[in-house]
Amino acid sequence: MTTVKPLRVGMVGYAFMGAAHSHAWRTAPRFFDLPLQPQLTAVAGRNASGVRAAADKLGWESTETDWRRLVERDDIDLIDICTPGNTHAEIATAALEAGKHVLCEKPLANSVEEAERMTVVAEAAAKRGVFAMCGFSYRRTPALALAKRMVEEGRLGTIRHVRAQYLQDWLSDENAPMTWRLDRSKSGSGSLGDIGAHSIDAAQWITGQNITGVSALLETFVPERPLAGDLVGLGGHGDAGRDAPRGAVTVDDAAIFSARFDGGGTSAGAVGVFEATRYALGRKNAMRLELNGTKASLAFDFEDMNALSFYDAAESPDAGFRRIFVTEPEHPYAGNWWPTGHGLGYEHGFTHQVVDLVTAIAHGTQPEPSFADALQVQRVLAAVEASAANSSQWQKV
């Protein structure tokens, strides 16, 4: 019997993303033959009772109340960062310099300067065989991975249009309570960085083109929110009493921008339109992407995540889009799961992320997206903010 070498994981943070990552670390080796065996060695959080309860629920062997102890421990090989953006740079830098691999949630940092420093540290660590990856998990949705494959095969021809939306509604109630996601000092930005970053990364990754310039508009609809109340999911019910304390919202509620792409070095670049909001009533997690090329078009909506719409102008010019149900064994990742037609869910993207990360580490290759890839997204985010602050004037990335 062959014994697979362990990959001992220490995770920082245990809320929404911590739960998703924990599920992925537990599940990946049960459905994929991995070259390393993930072990949920320790989880860190500031509240001793809270982190202990999370460890018991999510399957972690031990706990720490200071992330620095994870970095110092000899029985940890990888640090998984699931905390707000204002902590990413310090944790990731310390971990890489201590010889630990790093998985860091998106966006990489709260500023371009932080992201640049993190990238320098990551590239130096990679030369020593220590690797870092940023967690843009939507890349691992089978339908979007299939879309990338189709673009790389040339089936769309030259891409002319990119149309990207990320629509949610959990902040539509103006009395939903304040959370760290509405505090710029912790989150860096609002809808733009929280969900718009996913659209930016997906668009650049699938097209193979980088965004080179933007014209943007940012809007904050509700400037103050209750400080007290009950959290439910991402939002909840704030205390809206007349004398109840309220806190200032310091991030954008909605982001809209046009963009130009560089063409990937092979053709004239595409033009794009992006929208991100958490005020689109009825849209729960509508992460949408449409590409129009000279030969074909494709469209995706995460609220129908197992399907990819595809239109081939030569194959069926009068038939419109056809629906590809992305559950066949030959489709990305799908063959390791259920029989054809049995769809996957949100959590599977995180499992596939673990699969790709562990495989890259075992083979001594750089996992993607790298910190350099995430830095490019950070630069787009910064350009959007700069344009919006300057009457939407064109801003180079």
Side-chain angles (χ1 to χ4, degrees):
M1 181 177 178
T2 302
T3 301
V4 178
K5 182 180 178 182
L7 180 70
R8 301 164 298 180
V9 180
M11 187 175 74
V12 190
Y14 54 85
F16 173 27
M17 279 299 101
H21 283 223
S22 299
H23 176 86
W25 288 114
R26 292 195 312 267
T27 305
R30 289 168 171 79
F31 286 84
F32 294 80
D33 294 325
L34 300 183
L36 299 171
Q37 176 66 37
Q39 291 184 1
L40 283 69
T41 302
V43 59
R46 289 172 297 179
N47 182 287
S49 59
V51 72
R52 182 66 263 170
D56 293 340
K57 182 177 182 179
L58 300 175
W60 293 88
E61 297 172 5
S62 63
T63 65
E64 298 286 356
T65 55
D66 187 336
W67 62 263
R68 295 169 184 82
R69 303 290 84 79
L70 290 184
V71 172
E72 294 168 355
R73 285 175 57 161
D74 294 333
D75 62 344
I76 299 291
D77 302 309
L78 181 146
I79 300 295
D80 184 358
I81 304 171
C82 299
T83 52
N86 63 313
T87 66
H88 289 181
E90 184 180 11
I91 300 172
T93 298
L96 289 168
E97 290 180 343
K100 317 288 189 186
H101 305 293
V102 168
L103 170 60
C104 182
E105 258 303 321
K106 49 54 56 188
L108 185 60
N110 277 3
S111 69
V112 170
E113 293 73 21
E114 282 185 338
E116 287 175 338
R117 292 195 297 270
M118 293 169 72
T119 300
V120 169
V121 173
E123 290 176 346
K127 294 176 181 178
R128 307 191 304 272
V130 177
F131 297 104
M133 186 174 88
C134 190
F136 284 102
S137 58
Y138 285 104
R139 288 191 179 201
R140 272 74 188 193
T141 305
L144 285 179
L146 178 61
K148 179 173 176 59
R149 180 193 297 176
M150 296 169 81
V151 170
E152 290 177 339
E153 291 171 348
R155 295 181 66 179
L156 272 71
T158 300
I159 296 173
R160 290 171 169 165
H161 287 282
V162 176
R163 214 164 284 108
Q165 294 178 311
Y166 203 143
L167 313 176
Q168 298 178 336
D169 71 355
W170 59 272
L171 273 180
S172 296
D173 179 359
E174 65 182 20
N175 287 315
M178 278 289 295
T179 73
W180 68 266
R181 295 176 189 273
L182 304 177
D183 181 348
R184 183 178 178 86
S185 68
K186 294 182 175 66
S187 63
S189 64
S191 292
L192 175 63
D194 186 26
I195 54 180
H198 277 301
S199 294
I200 294 166
D201 178 72
Q204 294 187 139
W205 174 64
I206 291 172
T207 62
Q209 301 184 30
N210 283 338
I211 294 172
T212 60
V214 299
S215 174
L217 174 68
L218 299 179
E219 185 68 29
T220 300
F221 298 119
V222 180
E224 291 184 337
R225 288 188 173 273
L227 291 175
D230 299 320
L231 287 174
V232 180
L234 293 173
H237 310 289
D239 183 350
R242 186 172 58 182
D243 298 325
R246 301 178 76 89
V249 174
T250 53
V251 300
D252 60 279
D253 285 330
I256 302 170
F257 64 95
S258 56
R260 182 173 294 281
F261 291 75
D262 65 6
T266 59
S267 63
V271 293
V273 178
F274 290 75
E275 179 184 10
T277 180
R278 299 179 291 205
Y279 283 73
L281 276 170
R283 302 300 180 191
K284 303 305 178 182
N285 201 44
M287 190 272 199
R288 299 169 167 177
L289 183 68
E290 179 171 326
L291 306 181
N292 307 127
T294 54
K295 296 180 181 179
S297 294
L298 58 80
F300 170 80
D301 185 338
F302 192 78
E303 291 188 345
D304 188 17
M305 66 168 288
N306 289 289
L308 183 67
S309 296
F310 182 67
Y311 173 76
D312 188 317
E315 180 181 286
S316 53
D318 299 324
F321 280 86
R322 65 181 175 91
R323 191 169 184 267
I324 303 170
F325 201 52
V326 190
T327 61
E328 298 292 331
E330 65 269 21
H331 291 150
Y333 306 105
N336 284 76
W337 293 102
W338 317 120
T340 296
H342 294 70
L344 303 186
Y346 173 71
E347 73 278 10
H348 289 85
F350 295 93
T351 302
H352 302 154
Q353 179 172 268
V354 164
V355 170
D356 292 344
L357 174 58
V358 170
T359 301
I361 289 172
H363 293 163
T365 58
Q366 174 61 52
E368 294 181 348
S370 66
F371 277 15
D373 297 327
L375 170 59
Q376 165 61 19
V377 174
Q378 202 79 44
R379 286 174 171 154
V380 176
L381 298 177
V384 169
E385 291 195 313
S387 173
N390 192 26
S391 302
S392 303
Q393 290 192 26
W394 190 256
Q395 178 71 40
K396 290 184 178 181
V397 175

